[in-house]
C-alpha cells in the first residue's frame, strides 16, 4: 500500500465512512446522512481509491468490513468526535455569573465616562471587575496581543490590520472659568481672547485644535499657564481669572465641586470624534463582544447626554 497523502483526504468521506461502518448498508446510510444512495456509493468509491482498500464489501445483502476498514474506523471515530467538539460554537457569555476582569483604556479627559460604565457593568455583571488604563502610545500594541480588551481613541488614529474599530461619537468642547468671571458679562470672541488661558498639554493634540481654529479666525489668546493633567484644571480655574477651552467631559464631575461655570466656545469648533478599538484575535470572544456592546451603548448615551444644548 502506498503512503497516504492526508492532504488529499476529504473529511466528508470519513463522515460517510463512519456511518457506513455503523449501518453496513448503503441505503440506510444514505437516509442517516440525508443524501442519495448514489452520492454515498460515489463517496465510498472515492475513499476506496484514496485508501487503496475495498473497505466494505457486499456479503449476503449486508456489507462486511475489511480488517483495514476496522482498523481505520477504530481510530477515526474518536478523531471525528474530537473535531466535532472543537468546532462547536463558543458557550454563551453569562454576565451575571462572570468574575472576569475587563480591561478598558481611555483618554484622561474621559474619566467622567467611567462612572456610568462602572454602574452599567456591575448592574449586569455584579461579580466582574473593571481595570481602567490610560490611553497612550502602547495601547494599540496591548489591544493586538489581548492585554487590553477595548480602548477609546481619537477617530483620526490609524490602526493596523490586526485591530478593528467602531465609531462611538464626538466629544464636544466648552469654555470654563470661575463663577462671576468678568468674561461672562459679555461673553464672545473678544472676551475669550482678552483673558489669560490655561492649557492642558497631554501630547494628544487637543490644544492644537483650538489654536488652529482660532488662528483661522485670527483670534489670538495668551496662554498664561500649562499643566500636564486634567485633574489640575478645576482648582486652578476656581482661584484665578484663567479661562480653559477643553472637552466638556473633563469638567462634568469637578466643575460643580469647584463652583465653575461653562459657556459655549464663542466660535465654531468641531467635536473630537472617537472610536472603540479592539484586537481582531479576541474580537469574537463572547465576553469581549458583550463588553464591547456595553461600552459602546454606555459611551454613546453619555456623550449624547452631555452634548451642549
Amino acid at each position: 500500500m502506498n503512503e497516504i497523502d492526508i492532504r488529499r483526504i476529504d473529511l466528508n468521506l470519513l463522515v460517510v465512512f463512519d456511518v457506513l461502518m455503523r449501518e453496513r448498508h448503503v441505503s440506510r446510510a444514505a437516509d442517516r446522512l440525508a443524501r442519495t444512495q448514489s452520492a454515498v456509493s460515489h463517496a465510498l468509491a472515492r475513499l476506496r481509491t484514496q485508501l487503496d482498500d475495498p473497505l466494505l464489501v457486499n456479503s449476503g445483502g449486508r456489507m462486511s468490513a475489511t480488517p483495514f476498514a476496522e482498523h481505520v474506523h477504530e481510530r477515526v471515530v474518536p478523531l471525528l468526535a474530537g473535531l466535532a467538539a472543537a468546532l462547536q460554537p463558543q458557550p454563551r457569555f453569562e454576565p451575571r455569573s462572570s468574575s472576569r476582569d475587563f480591561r478598558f483604556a481611555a483618554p484622561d479627559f474621559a474619566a467622567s465616562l467611567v462612572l456610568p460604565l462602572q454602574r452599567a457593568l456591575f448592574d449586569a455583571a455584579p461579580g466582574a471587575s473593571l481595570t481602567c488604563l490610560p490611553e497612550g502610545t502602547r495601547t494599540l500594541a496591548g489591544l493586538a496581543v489581548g492585554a487590553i480588551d477595548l480602548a477609546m481613541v481619537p477617530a483620526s488614529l490609524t490602526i493596523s490590520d490586526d485591530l478593528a474599530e467602531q465609531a462611538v461619537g464626538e466629544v464636544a468642547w466648552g469654555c470654563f472659568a470661575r463663577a462671576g468671571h468678568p468674561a461672562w458679562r459679555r461673553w464672545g470672541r473678544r472676551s475669550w481672547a482678552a483673558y489669560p488661558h490655561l492649557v492642558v498639554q497631554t501630547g494628544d493634540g487637543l490644544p492644537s485644535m483650538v489654536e488652529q481654529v482660532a488662528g483661522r479666525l485670527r483670534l489670538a489668546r495668551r496662554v498664561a499657564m500649562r499643566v500636564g493633567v486634567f485633574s489640575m484644571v478645576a482648582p486652578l480655574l476656581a482661584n484665578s481669572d484663567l479661562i480653559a477651552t477643553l472637552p466638556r467631559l473633563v469638567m462634568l464631575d469637578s466643575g460643580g465641586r469647584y463652583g465653575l461655570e461653562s459657556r459655549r466656545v464663542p466660535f465654531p469648533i468641531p467635536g473630537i470624534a472617537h472610536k472603540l478599538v479592539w484586537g481582531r484575535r479576541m474580537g469574537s470572544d463572547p465576553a469581549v463582544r458583550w463588553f464591547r456592546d456595553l461600552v459602546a451603548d454606555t459611551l454613546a448615551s453619555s456623550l449624547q447626554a452631555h452634548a451642549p444644548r
Side-chain angles (χ1 to χ4, degrees):
M1 180 182 296
N2 296 327
E3 184 176 348
I4 301 298
D5 184 355
I6 191 64
R7 295 171 298 180
R8 297 178 55 207
I9 301 298
D10 185 345
L11 179 62
N12 290 312
L13 297 181
L14 296 181
V15 174
V16 173
F17 172 66
D18 175 45
V19 176
L20 280 169
M21 287 293 290
R22 297 174 188 275
E23 296 293 339
R24 305 298 174 100
H25 198 279
V26 172
S27 62
R28 289 200 298 270
D31 289 341
R32 282 189 58 181
L33 292 165
R35 299 186 183 182
T36 65
Q37 293 186 36
S38 175
V40 173
S41 296
H42 180 66
L44 177 58
R46 287 179 59 199
L47 196 57
R48 282 168 171 165
T49 299
Q50 292 184 11
L51 299 182
D52 193 22
D53 188 272
L55 300 175
L56 289 151
V57 296
N58 289 319
S59 176
R62 195 171 187 273
M63 305 186 83
S64 298
T66 66
F68 180 65
E70 296 283 6
H71 167 81
V72 171
H73 189 241
E74 180 181 353
R75 288 159 178 77
V76 162
V77 168
L79 292 178
L80 291 176
L83 184 59
L87 297 178
Q88 289 299 312
Q90 297 183 70
R92 182 176 179 179
F93 176 67
E94 298 294 343
R96 299 210 67 81
S97 59
S98 175
S99 59
R100 178 166 179 148
D101 177 44
F102 292 98
R103 295 153 296 181
F104 178 57
D108 183 29
F109 71 79
S112 59
L113 294 177
V114 173
L115 182 57
L117 174 59
Q118 177 261 324
R119 289 171 176 165
L121 175 63
F122 293 171
D123 283 347
S129 59
L130 178 64
T131 297
C132 293
L133 304 167
E135 184 266 323
T137 57
R138 301 184 62 84
T139 297
L140 298 186
L143 291 166
V145 300
I148 301 174
D149 295 315
L150 195 64
M152 177 183 176
V153 302
S156 59
L157 185 65
T158 302
I159 64 173
S160 56
D161 291 340
D162 54 358
L163 301 176
E165 63 182 54
Q166 173 185 340
V168 73
E170 290 189 347
V171 177
W173 294 86
C175 291
F176 302 88
R178 62 176 175 82
H181 193 289
W184 298 150
R185 296 171 190 165
R186 290 189 176 183
W187 180 243
R189 296 183 183 184
R190 182 172 297 182
S191 294
W192 183 87
Y195 289 89
H197 282 247
L198 169 67
V199 169
V200 181
Q201 291 187 326
T202 60
D204 55 14
L206 296 181
S208 64
M209 181 182 292
V210 176
E211 298 296 344
Q212 290 172 11
V213 174
R216 288 195 295 268
L217 297 172
R218 297 185 178 181
L219 287 172
R221 65 174 177 175
R222 182 174 73 86
V223 177
M225 189 170 188
R226 295 176 175 85
V227 296
V229 292
F230 288 100
S231 60
M232 297 178 66
V233 171
L236 289 171
L237 295 183
N239 295 281
S240 69
D241 281 341
L242 293 168
I243 294 174
T245 304
L246 299 169
R248 293 179 63 85
L249 296 177
V250 174
M251 311 303 292
L252 288 182
D253 297 325
S254 58
R257 293 201 305 269
Y258 287 91
L260 302 181
E261 294 182 357
S262 68
R263 299 290 189 276
R264 284 178 173 269
V265 181
F267 48 84
I269 183 170
I272 315 163
H274 276 75
K275 60 189 176 184
L276 294 178
V277 178
W278 61 93
R280 291 188 184 277
R281 187 175 70 85
M282 296 296 294
S284 61
D285 178 81
V288 173
R289 194 165 57 241
W290 176 87
F291 181 62
R292 185 168 71 240
D293 291 342
L294 180 75
V295 173
D297 291 344
T298 303
L299 293 187
S301 297
S302 296
L303 290 174
Q304 184 177 8
H306 298 299
R309 305 302 181 193

